[in-house]
């Protein structure tokens, strides 16, 4: 019975926990596919001003587009992750990119606001299918360096989010129909993801049957997770705190990603193209900051990274509403660099709290991130209509104070496990 229990634990353990080498070819490829996916996703907020003018929308209707995109992704991602934990679907990545492609073409040809909402929903579904399984692939190829792998995976997505507004500023000069040119990126992504699916299918962790248990080896192995003794209530409280921190991070990011261009145009009277370039600079800082959180968390622990990245950004967010154009640009770069390091640390921390539920945890947190972004964009859009953009930025500047809740998280050791010291003879 004991060996059966240990075998179950091994089967539940995440790929990469057994001393495998890091497969950088796969990590770089899945990160690049994340870049392609998020480039396509970020085209929607980048063209909000264009859609607002074309369909004569108010800010509430603009926020509803973001809500549709993000809510479809947030609801479906945990369900997709839970399903693929039980029945891995290696080729679902290519299918997800195909759904994104269909949404992109529908958006390019959309004749009405209702069609825009439907296209945003399709792109949200594509993202929901892509993220849980791609996060699992990153962990499979990590070789035990889970924080580094997630950061590398995330930086691809953040780089894609930054590229969207930049490409929109120069490619979409001929209007909404120009979006169709980006279908070539989606086709390229489908080919790459089909190859990754083939690698995943033949990976030894794909099927539980490929894992054999040697009782002597099991007895000699150190505990896989230093937090295994945590009670269920403590794990639940920790997850609730992580969710609150995610709310703080992504609700604040929603104010920048969805309305930063409008804020710059209204307050500093810059052009649409200039505002999109400023958005690109901010999102580029987010991409650069993402790579920091994972490796630092591997070395020093996730909790410290979470603490600094959420609460540490508070002084800069409080200064932002009072700054001129130059300092607004500088402060948003600092905010992006610091705040971006949080997500990889939060995700790996949550995965270590619930080993064996990598897909479900990844889907839950990716989904919550998308959901908070969408709900935040919709609510803030209504608030802008009722009050003003300046009021919204003053209000959101206090959100990082929620980072104080990090103090209640238990200290988890880095992913590395240490062998017990040899015992001295007492004879």
């Amino acid at each position: 019975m004991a060996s059966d229990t240990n075998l179950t634990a091994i089967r539940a353990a995440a790929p990469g926990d057994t001393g495998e080498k890091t497969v950088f070819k796969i990590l770089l490829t899945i990160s690049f596919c994340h870049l392609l996916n998020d480039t396509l996703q970020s085209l929607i907020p980048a063209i909000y001003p264009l859609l607002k003018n074309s369909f004569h929308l108010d800010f509430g209707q603009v926020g509803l587009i973001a809500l549709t995109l993000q809510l479809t992704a947030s609801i479906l991602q945990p369900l997709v992750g839970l399903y693929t934990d039980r029945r891995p679907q290696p080729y679902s990545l290519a299918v997800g990119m195909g759904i994104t492609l269909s949404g992109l073409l529908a958006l390019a040809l959309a004749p009405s606001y209702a069609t825009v909402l439907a296209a945003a929903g399709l792109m949200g579904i594509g993202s929901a299918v892509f993220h849980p399984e791609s996060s699992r692939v990153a962990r499979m190829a990590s070789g035990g360096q889970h924080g580094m792998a997630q950061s590398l995976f995330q930086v691809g997505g953040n780089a894609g989010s930054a590229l969207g507004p930049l490409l929109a500023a120069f490619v979409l000069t001929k209007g909404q129909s120009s979006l169709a040119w980006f279908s070539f990126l989606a086709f390229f992504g489908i080919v790459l993801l089909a190859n990754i699916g083939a690698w995943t299918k033949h990976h030894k962790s794909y099927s539980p049957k490929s894992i054999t248990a040697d009782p002597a080896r099991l007895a000699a192995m150190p505990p896989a997770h230093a937090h295994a003794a945590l009670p269920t209530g403590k794990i639940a409280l920790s997850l609730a705190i992580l969710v609150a921190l995610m709310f703080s991070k992504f609700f604040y990011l929603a104010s920048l990603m969805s309305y930063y261009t409008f804020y710059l145009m209204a307050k500093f009277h810059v052009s649409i193209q200039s505002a999109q370039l400023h958005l690109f600079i901010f999102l580029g800082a987010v991409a650069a900051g993402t790579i920091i959180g994972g490796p630092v968390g591997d070395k020093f622990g996730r909790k410290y990274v979470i603490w600094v990245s959420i609460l540490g950004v508070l002084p800069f967010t409080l200064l932002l509403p009072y700054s001129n154009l130059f300092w607004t640009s500088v402060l948003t770069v600092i905010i992006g660099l610091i705040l971006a390091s949080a997500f990889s640390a939060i995700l790996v921390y949550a995965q270590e709290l619930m080993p064996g539920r990598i897909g479900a945890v990844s889907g839950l947190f990716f989904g919550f991130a998308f959901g908070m972004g969408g709900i935040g964009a919709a609510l803030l859009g209504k608030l802008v209509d009722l009050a003003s953009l300046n009021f919204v930025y003053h209000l959101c500047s206090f959100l990082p104070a929620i980072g104080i809740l990090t103090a209640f998280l238990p200290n988890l050791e880095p992913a590395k496990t240490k062998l017990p010291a040899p015992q001295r003879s007492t004879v």
Side-chain angles (χ1 to χ4, degrees):
M1 181 66 69
S3 62
D4 291 341
T5 303
N6 286 332
L7 178 56
T8 301
I10 287 180
R11 287 178 175 176
D17 289 340
T18 57
E20 299 175 12
K21 292 183 178 179
T22 304
V23 187
F24 282 103
K25 179 181 178 181
I26 296 299
L27 276 179
L28 292 173
T29 303
I30 197 65
S31 179
F32 180 70
C33 290
H34 198 186
L35 180 148
L36 295 177
N37 180 82
D38 284 23
T39 294
L40 300 176
Q41 299 287 328
S42 67
L43 289 173
I44 295 182
I47 64 169
Y48 282 162
L50 179 63
L51 294 175
K52 187 175 186 293
N53 293 332
S54 298
F55 297 103
H56 308 290
L57 309 178
D58 58 31
F59 282 104
Q61 290 173 308
V62 171
L64 188 58
I65 299 172
L67 178 64
T68 303
L69 172 68
Q70 308 289 19
L71 204 57
T72 51
S74 67
I75 291 174
L76 291 178
Q77 283 196 50
L79 300 178
V80 171
L82 186 62
Y83 180 80
T84 56
D85 274 337
R86 298 177 179 179
R87 297 181 180 181
Q89 304 291 326
Y91 294 105
S92 63
L93 292 170
V95 172
M97 186 65 76
I99 297 172
T100 296
L101 171 61
S102 63
L104 180 69
L105 293 175
L107 183 61
L109 304 174
S112 65
Y113 177 63
T115 312
V116 170
L117 292 178
L122 279 174
M123 295 187 73
I125 293 171
S127 183
V129 175
F130 173 82
H131 281 97
E133 192 66 17
S134 57
S135 181
R136 185 202 308 278
V137 169
R139 193 171 177 98
M140 272 184 172
S142 69
Q145 300 183 69
H146 306 313
M148 180 277 297
Q150 288 299 330
S151 282
L152 189 57
F153 173 66
Q154 285 301 316
V155 80
N158 290 139
S161 297
L163 281 175
L166 180 65
L167 294 174
F170 295 101
V171 178
L172 302 181
T173 55
K174 295 184 179 180
Q176 181 183 338
S177 61
S178 301
L179 283 169
W181 287 105
F182 291 94
S183 61
F184 292 104
L185 296 181
F187 277 120
F188 186 38
I190 290 172
V191 173
L192 292 177
L193 290 171
N195 290 331
I196 285 180
W199 176 85
T200 303
K201 188 174 182 178
H202 293 93
H203 192 272
K204 67 181 182 180
S205 66
Y206 175 76
S207 172
K209 294 179 181 179
S210 66
I211 302 176
T212 57
D214 180 358
R217 182 169 173 246
L218 289 173
M221 287 175 62
H225 299 276
H227 57 81
L230 284 178
T232 302
K234 187 69 172 178
I235 293 176
L237 176 62
S238 299
L239 289 175
I241 292 172
L242 293 177
V243 166
L245 297 175
M246 292 276 287
F247 164 79
S248 168
K249 170 182 166 64
F250 285 98
F251 215 88
Y252 183 80
L253 283 179
S255 70
L256 287 175
M257 297 180 72
S258 295
Y259 301 108
Y260 187 43
T261 52
F262 296 111
Y263 176 76
L264 293 173
M265 287 188 291
K267 186 173 181 178
F268 304 112
H269 309 291
V270 301
S271 66
I272 292 178
Q273 189 177 52
S274 176
Q276 288 173 331
L277 290 175
H278 278 83
L279 180 60
F280 163 72
I281 292 171
F282 163 70
L283 294 174
V286 170
T290 298
I291 200 65
I292 299 172
V296 173
D298 282 338
K299 187 172 183 179
F300 298 106
R302 324 291 174 201
K303 180 176 176 179
Y304 304 107
V305 175
I306 296 169
W307 184 276
V308 172
S309 62
I310 301 293
L311 191 61
V313 81
L314 181 61
F316 305 103
T317 61
L318 292 175
L319 286 172
L320 183 63
Y322 304 97
S323 303
N324 59 24
L325 179 59
F326 172 77
W327 285 109
T328 294
S329 300
V330 172
L331 286 172
T332 52
V333 167
I334 296 172
I335 290 169
L337 284 169
I338 298 175
L339 202 56
S341 63
F343 187 69
S344 294
I346 290 174
L347 180 59
V348 177
Y349 188 102
Q351 289 174 344
E352 291 176 353
L353 281 173
M354 299 183 67
R357 294 291 183 267
I358 303 303
V361 170
S362 299
L364 174 65
F365 278 85
F366 275 113
F368 190 80
F370 277 81
M372 280 300 97
I375 293 172
L379 292 179
L380 292 175
K382 280 295 183 183
L383 193 56
V384 170
D385 286 333
L386 293 173
S388 68
L389 278 167
N390 281 332
F391 175 78
V392 166
Y393 276 85
H394 277 87
L395 182 65
C396 290
S397 67
F398 294 94
L399 284 172
I402 295 175
I404 196 70
L405 294 176
T406 308
F408 298 99
L409 290 175
N411 290 314
L412 301 183
E413 293 182 4
K416 297 177 182 179
T417 56
K418 297 179 180 180
L419 293 174
Q423 297 181 350
R424 294 182 178 180
S425 175
T426 56
V427 179

